[in-house]
Amino acid sequence: MLMKFTRLVLFASFFSPPAILAQSPKTYTSSEILLQLKKLNVLGSVLYIAAHPDDENNTLLPYLAKEKLYRTAYLSLTRGDGGQNLIGDEQGIELGLMRTQELLAARRVDGAEQYFTRAYEFGFSKSAEEALHIWDREKILADVVWVIRKYQPDIIVNRFPPDARAGHGHHAASAVLGAEAYAAAANPERFPEQFKYGVKPWKAKRLLWNSFNFGGTNTTSEDQFKIDIGGYNALLGKSYGELGAEARTMHKCQGEGRPRRRGPSIEYFSTLNGDAPKNSLMDDVDISWKRIPGGEKVQPMIDAIINNYKMEEPELSVPALVKMYRAIKSLPENTWKEQKLQETQDMIEACSALFVEATSNQSSVVQGDSLKMSFLINKRTGVNGTLKSLKLETLDSSFSASIGVNQNIVINKTIPVAADKKISQPYWLEHPMAHGIFVVDDQLLIGKAENDPSFEAAMTINIDGEDFVVHRPVQYRFTDATKGDVYQPIPVLPRLEINYALDNYVSINGAPVRAGLHAKANISDGVSYTISERFSNAWKADNTSVNYNTKDGMDNYWISTFSPKTTDINTTEEIRLVAGSGKYDGYTRTISYDHIPTITYFPKATANLVKVDMKTVGKKLGYINGAGDKVPEALEAMGYEVKTLSEADVTDDNLKAFDAIVVGIRAYNVFEWLTNKNDIMNRYIANGGNLIVQYLKSNNVGQKRVKVGPYPFMINAGIRVTEENAKVNFLLPDHPALNYPNKITEKDFEGWVQERSTYQAEQADNHFETPIGMNDTGEKQSNGSLAIAKYGKGNFVYCSLVFFRQLPAGVPGAYRMMANLIALPKRD
């Protein structure tokens, strides 16, 4: 039966510029205001297209946005879900959430906007054809067309070519889709279902390819159009190379920190469609106010504001800005009209030194509960200002409160939160993902970088006789002892959370497994729920449901014992929990790093039951964490005692205690001390230990050459097997790694996820044996995914088989293969 006891468990709890979340309301210096005033006079736009976060040209974007003053945006086909993580153990969906926020952080540096399609980054792809097939070419093409029709760029720029020079399939696919979308967006017969949402066919002036010279591939030529983007912006005090480096460095989980560059920086452009530029990217594009009927009257108004602008008294520009705002408002409807109205309002607020925020001391709120909020308005200059109304959810208050100079108006309110208010699940995760693509059933959400704020206040403030609606997200604000003011999003949580304690429960040789189940009430309302477990007939459980009342405690924990019913071996199946007639089926997870807002999302309450026929040899393992992986948990589930080793632990005496030592992914590329302690590691092997090194990304750690293992070999980042079902050939069928203590067969390579191997070994010393070979379709077989060398009494293993993906996914063959590497025979 289910055993219940209480235990404390912490639940690891569009088309306008993105809202600034998780930071204080934006304020402008006088020089920044002047730059934005100049931008008011420019009605030109550029859309840059590539495949992933960090594919964008981080120096070009600020040049376009802050030198040429174009409206600039980056469309990333994916959120980077299939990449690798240098700073944590998040993978898949979680990594995509992180990289989304890193892109938004980069955009706050370079002044561009950010959009996405529904494509999921399923891992490294070697051809555009494969990527487009997995993504469903027409659906992702429709997304790109939608963004073009909404954003209406004058110029579209592809980052990559549509062939092998792009580096890999996702890159090439982005070029294919960019070219197809350029034409399709202008064709009223393509995706006509979009027109009912207000868009119209849109023809950009030209499609360019921003050619490049990096990674050993030079696609530039002197007959291409070129510009120097390395200039200096005196109003910002930085060159575009410096701004670009700051933006690039926000891609921290990819290890993309860059030095600030100064000096010339030449960018090249090849024309793919439309007339080739000769003098400017915007040749033959009217970027003046003439592109709006009647707009000619606005440009001299802006010129006068700029000419009369006082750096020390920006507020003197407010009356003229308000007059200009009214002039723009009188123009016929147009995308640029709406854009310039918002930009003008932003400058009126900035010149008025108007500070508005909406905050709460609650870090989250629960469906059906209430939210306490504080609204603060301060106008730090003598501009005439009056607060007229405040609206938020059910709150609708009218005022006639004059805002004094540098006087705080503070309004405290509490609002009820509807019981059916949507939880703060990122919109692209609301539905189960189809293969290779997120399912989004609301057309108006497609393209957006993130959800709108859970709560957004709308305050009507009259400035110099004109009403402006000022929108602010309600944020959790607190004071940190070292960071000072901190602002974070406020997520809406479900009333009930349920989940399993682990991702995988491993039954070894048919033994029962004990699964931990959690229930947490976020509101103690006395409601009873039946929490049920769903699983197949291949298993039996001592009980399949439990009753839980929210007054029983805010956090409860149960144990359920599962036993196999069939003799099938080496299987994995998903089990799940549901409650409240299926209304509640997940829990809260948070991802927290200093450089991005705290991320909250709600995974489903699922786990894997893994049945594996496996023998193990050895008991005590040392593990050296790499750049974020979940292998230690899997090793513990296999029955090993695992101790995490730090630099100080790696001594000759300490290592004697371990039957084997496993090194995490990319650890040698992250920690120079591993290279410095290579002699100690080699003595450990010589004395009878087994050292298993998971993949390296390169042969260097910083500027230093990596030293790993007793014999030399090289890492080739270009050799990888990305087809998860690629045939594995046993080149040395009698090798212990394939036979002891488990007989490895082709079945052990079934059910693998995302890829087979990455960053394989090559030019290996002849002491290495390579038991397996594999290759993607149409490629030459490689044998560097598993390289094993005897040394003294022990063994050294370099393994680029992607255990860091397979073990967390509960792939039985990966458990068996890892057990064999740990058990490699030692010699007397």
Side-chain angles (χ1 to χ4, degrees), residues 447-643:
K448 293 180 61 127
E450 59 181 338
N451 289 13
D452 292 332
S454 300
F455 302 90
E456 186 174 66
M459 288 166 267
T460 300
I461 299 176
N462 186 281
I463 299 176
D464 212 49
E466 182 72 22
D467 287 349
F468 297 94
V469 180
V470 178
H471 295 272
R472 291 291 185 270
V474 182
Q475 300 182 96
Y476 169 46
R477 178 185 177 185
F478 63 99
T479 303
D480 181 270
T482 58
K483 303 172 188 174
D485 262 345
V486 178
Y487 293 75
Q488 294 288 0
I490 298 177
V492 178
L493 308 183
R495 301 165 72 88
L496 177 68
E497 300 180 27
I498 50 178
N499 74 312
Y500 286 102
L502 298 176
D503 294 330
N504 295 294
Y505 295 99
V506 183
S507 169
I508 299 176
N509 304 324
V513 290
R514 288 159 54 87
L517 292 69
H518 296 266
K520 177 185 178 183
N522 288 319
I523 186 169
S524 183
D525 54 4
V527 176
S528 292
Y529 297 96
T530 298
I531 303 172
S532 302
E533 295 189 271
R534 306 284 174 86
F535 51 93
S536 78
N537 290 330
W539 295 82
K540 63 181 179 180
D542 52 5
N543 205 338
T544 60
S545 64
V546 64
N547 292 321
Y548 169 64
N549 189 288
T550 60
K551 287 188 176 180
D552 288 347
M554 292 301 286
D555 199 359
N556 282 258
Y557 183 81
W558 294 269
I559 294 291
S560 180
T561 301
F562 286 89
S563 302
K565 288 173 60 179
T566 68
T567 58
D568 295 339
I569 62 172
N570 301 327
T571 63
T572 301
E573 81 162 69
E574 185 181 82
I575 56 176
R576 62 190 182 100
L577 297 172
V578 295
S581 300
K583 183 177 182 180
Y584 302 103
D585 61 355
Y587 62 105
T588 302
R589 288 268 295 171
T590 59
I591 303 171
S592 182
Y593 291 93
D594 283 347
H595 67 296
I596 56 177
T598 296
I599 299 166
T600 301
Y601 84 109
F602 304 92
K604 299 299 183 183
T606 62
N608 291 319
L609 286 175
V610 183
K611 188 163 63 168
V612 56
D613 178 33
M614 178 177 64
K615 300 180 180 68
T616 60
V617 174
K619 191 69 175 176
K620 294 186 177 182
L621 302 182
Y623 196 91
I624 298 173
N625 284 321
D629 64 71
K630 300 178 181 179
V631 171
E633 293 91 333
L635 296 173
E636 290 175 340
M638 294 166 68
Y640 298 107
E641 296 176 11
V642 181
K643 177 179 172 56

Side-chain angles (χ1 to χ4, degrees), residues 45-50 60 64 70 154-162 174-176 178-179 182 204-211 224-227 267-283 285:
S45 58
V46 180
L47 179 65
Y48 200 86
I49 300 177
L60 179 61
L64 295 174
Y70 305 142
D154 296 308
I155 307 297
I156 298 175
V157 182
N158 283 346
R159 183 44 165 155
F160 297 106
S174 73
V176 171
Y182 172 85
K205 184 65 179 179
R206 58 180 56 91
L207 173 67
L208 304 173
W209 166 35
N210 180 200
S211 56
Q224 296 173 351
F225 181 75
K226 59 183 180 179
I227 52 176
E267 289 294 329
Y268 294 79
F269 299 86
S270 179
T271 304
L272 304 177
N273 212 320
D275 296 332
K278 297 179 181 179
N279 302 303
S280 163
L281 294 177
M282 289 287 176
D283 274 359
V285 177

Side-chain angles (χ1 to χ4, degrees), residues 696 713-721 757-762 774 782-786 798 800:
L696 280 66
F713 63 97
M714 298 292 290
I715 301 301
N716 189 329
I719 304 179
R720 52 202 297 175
V721 178
S757 73
T758 186
Y759 306 117
Q760 294 190 18
E762 68 170 6
M774 60 183 76
S782 60
N783 62 359
S785 59
L786 186 61
Y798 175 75
S800 72

